[in-house]
Amino acid sequence: MPFLRHIALGAWYYASLPWRRRLARKNGAPITILFYHRVADEHSNAWTISNRQFERQIQWLKQHVELISLEETQRRIRTGDSPRPAVALTFDDGYAENCDHALPLLVKERIPCTYFVASRFVMNQQPFPHDVLAGTPLPVNTPEQIRALARAGFEIGAHTRSHADLGCVRDRRSLQDEVVGARHDLESITGQRVRYFAFPFGLHRNLNANAFRLAHEVGYEAVCSAYGGYNHPGGDPFHLQRFHADPHLLRLKNWVLVDPRKEYRTSPFHYLPLPVKKARTEPVT
Ligand SMILES: [Zn+2]
């Protein structure tokens, strides 16, 4: 992050902290869900953070927020009971190096985590096309690793079969393959029920109302986007909105402790013909 932006963000973060704390005291703290992709020290890229950065983030999060599961996130959204700043952790795609340090650290610290996997790459042991294009075909998790993660208490979630942009998928058969087939693949690997689905890329343009409906019909408990929105008590527990886990700790702190500017700028993706209960957007008083 450029130096001047860092200074400006730091000033904003510390000046707005009292405002953010008042929100939490009102039992209405929005819940932040973070998504990581790859934690590794080699072949750094836009979707990788180093082991040291990850460890620093986990230590800060442990001290300043409650670390909760997606299931507990949904419970707080449904009941409106959210007395403290809380964060749920997720990973997307299924990179092998996550099993070296990052995931064992979460096990050691007993921090819940949902691990979203694009199933075909794991089953066929193929690198992701975006890594091949970038010239670094990074290793993906093996089915044995996914099974071991499920046994260690990680919630394994579906992230399509082929990492497709579902915003472009129109036919029902392809949607069925990506949304339902991916779950079938992962359940056959882990022997456990797959309850959550995350849209690849996850911006508004990558979401698809038919995929939301299909996921609901076939029994997923929630689907996740990735455009950077908060989850409000009393809001929609089926659509869980996530933030990218920024490698810069200051920016991460700023999102996690609920930046009021982000509150106003993001709007939830509406996927049902019925009106979705409106998210809280009032300023903190
Ligand atoms: Zn992905």
Side-chain angles (χ1 to χ4, degrees):
M1 197 182 336
F3 181 68
L4 283 179
R5 280 191 71 183
H6 191 272
I7 296 289
L9 181 59
W12 162 252
Y13 171 73
Y14 288 106
S16 58
L17 267 182
W19 191 11
R20 301 166 194 236
R21 288 190 180 124
R22 275 200 298 276
L23 176 65
R25 279 203 294 273
K26 285 175 67 181
N27 197 23
I31 301 160
T32 309
I33 306 174
L34 295 175
F35 65 93
Y36 294 88
H37 285 97
R38 178 171 174 265
V39 183
D41 293 334
E42 311 245 307
H43 303 297
S44 183
N45 58 26
W47 47 96
T48 298
I49 76 167
S50 71
N51 285 298
R52 184 172 151 70
Q53 284 171 319
F54 183 75
E55 195 166 335
R56 278 186 73 205
Q57 293 192 356
I58 295 301
Q59 294 312 327
W60 185 87
L61 290 166
K62 264 179 60 189
Q63 286 168 16
H64 294 88
V65 301
E66 208 179 340
L67 288 159
I68 62 175
S69 64
L70 290 189
E71 185 175 330
E72 175 62 13
T73 301
Q74 288 181 289
R75 190 193 71 75
R76 293 184 187 199
I77 295 170
R78 274 193 204 100
T79 60
D81 177 27
S82 184
R84 288 176 292 281
V87 171
L89 301 185
T90 68
F91 278 71
D92 282 6
D93 294 354
Y95 282 102
E97 292 102 321
N98 295 333
C99 290
D100 295 344
H101 300 289
L103 302 181
L105 175 67
L106 298 184
V107 172
K108 186 175 140 223
E109 301 284 359
R110 299 174 179 227
I111 295 171
C113 176
T114 302
Y115 199 77
F116 289 104
V117 178
S119 62
R120 191 166 290 159
F121 300 94
V122 165
M123 296 181 93
N124 297 344
Q125 286 297 282
Q126 286 173 335
F128 292 103
H130 46 265
D131 292 326
V132 174
L133 271 176
T136 47
L138 300 166
V140 299
N141 288 123
T142 62
E144 291 72 30
Q145 284 175 325
I146 299 301
R147 202 173 298 124
L149 290 174
R151 273 200 224 109
F154 287 86
E155 176 99 36
I156 303 299
H159 192 47
T160 70
R161 273 183 158 154
S162 70
H163 206 264
D165 174 1
L166 295 188
C168 303
V169 175
R170 294 283 167 264
D171 67 291
R172 173 107 187 165
R173 185 180 290 185
S174 299
L175 276 186
Q176 186 86 14
D177 189 50
E178 298 289 1
V179 176
V180 188
R183 182 170 72 169
H184 180 264
D185 292 344
L186 294 170
E187 289 182 344
S188 67
I189 290 174
T190 63
Q192 296 182 10
R193 196 170 146 237
V194 169
R195 303 191 294 165
Y196 297 101
F197 178 84
F199 281 86
F201 313 105
L203 302 179
H204 278 92
R205 64 174 178 273
N206 312 118
L207 307 181
N208 177 330
N210 289 330
F212 268 83
R213 278 191 281 272
L214 177 61
H216 193 265
E217 275 168 31
V218 299
Y220 278 106
E221 293 187 14
V223 299
C224 293
S225 57
Y227 53 73
Y230 293 108
N231 300 281
H232 294 267
D236 177 4
F238 188 71
H239 176 194
L240 300 177
Q241 301 170 84
R242 301 184 298 168
F243 277 91
H244 175 232
D246 199 290
H248 295 281
L249 184 58
L250 177 59
R251 208 183 273 147
L252 186 97
K253 287 154 90 169
N254 186 55
W255 293 145
V256 161
L257 293 186
V258 187
D259 188 332
R261 296 171 306 165
K262 196 73 179 171
E263 284 278 86
Y264 294 121
R265 281 188 212 147
T266 50
S267 58
F269 176 84
H270 293 289
Y271 57 93
L272 292 172
L274 300 169
V276 174
K277 195 170 177 184
K278 204 169 182 302
R280 289 164 53 121
T281 53
E282 71 268 31
V284 185
T285 54

